[in-house]
Amino acid sequence: MNVEVRLFAYFREGREKKQIITLAEGTEISNVLDMLNIKEEEVSILLLNGRDGPSDRKLKNGDIVALFPPVGGG
């Protein structure tokens, strides 16, 4: 199955900002984080098809995962 992964802010450093990843059926979002070498505690917002939730959600073909780190500013 193919899943689109979109990265935002500094998660893009050294990575593609948008990529299609081929995964096995039943793969969880946490597995994608491992593949991208992103620690779960570094993720502030984790969207699956536009809905926030935990990283143990199983992915399906055509899903879109968006990962946002914490953002600060004044």
Side-chain angles (χ1 to χ4, degrees):
M1 71 176 175
N2 291 322
V3 173
E4 182 177 315
V5 178
R6 298 176 184 174
L7 301 176
F8 294 87
Y10 65 81
F11 283 162
R12 294 178 175 177
E13 294 175 9
R15 303 179 183 101
E16 300 289 327
K17 70 178 190 179
K18 180 173 151 183
Q19 55 189 297
I20 304 293
I21 299 176
T22 301
L23 302 165
E25 291 289 331
T27 300
E28 296 181 354
I29 298 172
S30 61
N31 301 120
V32 173
L33 294 175
D34 291 341
M35 290 175 60
L36 296 172
N37 200 25
I38 296 173
K39 295 179 182 171
E40 189 170 338
E41 57 269 15
E42 294 179 65
V43 179
S44 178
I45 300 171
L46 194 166
L47 302 178
L48 174 59
N49 300 324
R51 294 186 173 211
D52 195 16
S55 65
D56 62 349
R57 291 176 285 174
K58 295 195 184 296
L59 297 168
K60 296 178 291 196
N61 190 44
D63 280 346
I64 299 173
V65 175
L67 305 172
F68 297 79
V71 178

